[in-house]
Amino acid sequence: MAAETPAALNPAFAGLTKLGWNAERDAQFAPYLAQGLVPARIAVEDKHFYRVWTAEAELSAQITGKSMHEARSDHTKLPKVGDWVAVKLVPNEAKATIHAILPRRTLITRKTTGREITAQILATNIETVFLVTAADSTFNAARLERMLVMAHESGARPVVILNKIDLAENLEVKLAEAAKAAGEALVLAVCALTGRGVKKLAALIKPGDTVVFIGTSGVGKSSLINRLYGEDLQATVEVREQDAKGRHTTSWREMIFLPQGGVVIDTPGMREFHIWAAGEGSKETFPEIEALSLQCHFRDCTHTQEKDCAVLAALAAGTLPRDRHESFLKLQLEISYLREAEKQAGWQTRKKGNRVAHRVFNKRA
Ligand SMILES: Nc1nc2c(ncn2[C@@H]2O[C@H](COP(=O)(O)OP(=O)(O)OP(=O)(O)O)[C@@H](O)[C@H]2O)c(=O)[nH]1
Ligand SMILES: [Mg+2]
Ligand SMILES: [Zn+2]
């Protein structure tokens, strides 16, 4: 018998495969099954209240007092949107308690704004991160680069979405800048207003996939998701509130199941992006600089003033654009600042958790 034959799925959980459940999850869940718990996925998170999806129903859920206590010293232990969890059903009520979180295959974090450096998990167990940016006057290639670093660290595939192309001046220039920032990541120009490019976007989401939309407020994340969904999403999801400008702004993270298959996570917009635990992400964002640096004389070359620096040589020869080098240096500065702040805040354990998630993902890929 072929060793590759996948383990048979527990038929009771077949309803979860469209949400990404698989034989690996089945195996992870075995000990909880023995305790009479049921698998579910976190669909909505609002403070300590959750909505979860089981194979049969959508339930409201809360974590146990014990988990709440444990999470006080490490809030990565709190369930996040996208998490697979083990829940105990409350008999005769559409309620459950969350007892455990299954290992996170990928997770996307950002540094929260404020004086303290803390990582906030935006979503977990995602295949693709759509980094949405608008092609209007708010377009900013440097911000896109920072978003890409964050996405590369998540373990998920990043795709750059340039929305609002109907409002773009010099679209070609912006597309070129986006492509340069994106490196090897795909760049898609779309318009949520007219639906242009949305078919191509939809084609990137396969049944069983989970994708997340990330980007600053107002770039059109929810509008694009509405397009992907069809017409009735606004009626289905009443988790929006109107801000002062009368605009619908997403107020919390939520999972949406697309009729054509695939799960989409909408996130509230953020004012700025910061890098959390950067490292590998920077290399992937600047692959040409990474390639050149292999030829630098010093292994720890900073590409600023060293002798026999291949990056500086490429810059002098004009084969490496000056603005790419500048973006790279700016990013390094930001990373070193964050590392220092991180060290002082004693966040090493959290970083370790992050790396484990990468490894699990890479092994699977
Ligand atoms: N002209 C134009 N307007 C768009 C397009 N996409 C979205 N908009 C408008 O931009 C505004 C913001 O769109 P949203 O979808 O709410 O943006 P968001 O990214 O979800 O914003 P937050 O929920 O606040 O993070 C709305 O008024 C949309 O109608 C587009 O392609 N072209
Ligand atoms: Mg929104
Ligand atoms: Zn160098």
Side-chain angles (χ1 to χ4, degrees), residues 289 292-298 300-313:
I289 293 180
L292 283 167
S293 71
L294 298 175
Q295 283 143 42
C296 292
H297 180 72
F298 299 103
D300 58 351
C301 187
T302 62
H303 322 308
T304 52
Q305 54 183 27
E306 289 87 347
K307 213 169 122 269
D308 297 327
C309 168
V311 174
L312 290 176

Side-chain angles (χ1 to χ4, degrees), residues 41-45 47 50 75-85 101 104 107 120-125 253 255:
R41 199 158 186 208
I42 305 283
V44 179
E45 174 201 340
K47 309 252 162 53
Y50 299 90
H75 43 120
T76 60
K77 285 184 178 158
L78 286 174
K80 297 291 162 192
V81 170
D83 272 340
W84 284 105
V85 292
I101 305 171
R104 290 168 174 151
L107 80 168
Q120 185 188 12
I121 299 176
L122 296 179
T124 68
N125 301 318
R253 271 157 270 155
M255 246 175 24

Side-chain angles (χ1 to χ4, degrees), residues 24-64:
E24 186 189 359
R25 291 300 187 193
D26 239 24
Q28 289 168 351
F29 196 75
Y32 304 112
L33 186 66
Q35 294 168 38
L37 301 177
V38 168
R41 199 158 186 208
I42 305 283
V44 179
E45 174 201 340
D46 181 28
K47 309 252 162 53
H48 295 309
F49 295 93
Y50 299 90
R51 304 283 301 169
V52 300
W53 295 346
T54 67
E56 277 95 32
E58 180 176 323
L59 310 170
S60 59
Q62 275 182 270
I63 57 172
T64 61

Side-chain angles (χ1 to χ4, degrees), residues 217 240-250:
S217 191
R240 284 143 217 286
E241 56 188 36
Q242 295 204 276
D243 67 11
K245 293 179 211 118
R247 196 160 59 69
H248 287 286
T249 189
T250 307

Side-chain angles (χ1 to χ4, degrees), residues 132 163-167 190-195 215-224 226 234 240 243 247-251 266-270:
V132 187
N163 187 35
K164 303 197 186 185
I165 53 174
D166 56 313
L167 300 179
V190 300
C191 177
L193 203 65
T194 61
T216 47
S217 191
V219 292
K221 299 179 295 296
S222 300
S223 306
L224 285 169
N226 279 341
Q234 289 284 9
R240 284 143 217 286
D243 67 11
R247 196 160 59 69
H248 287 286
T249 189
T250 307
S251 47
D266 194 3
T267 64
M270 287 155 260

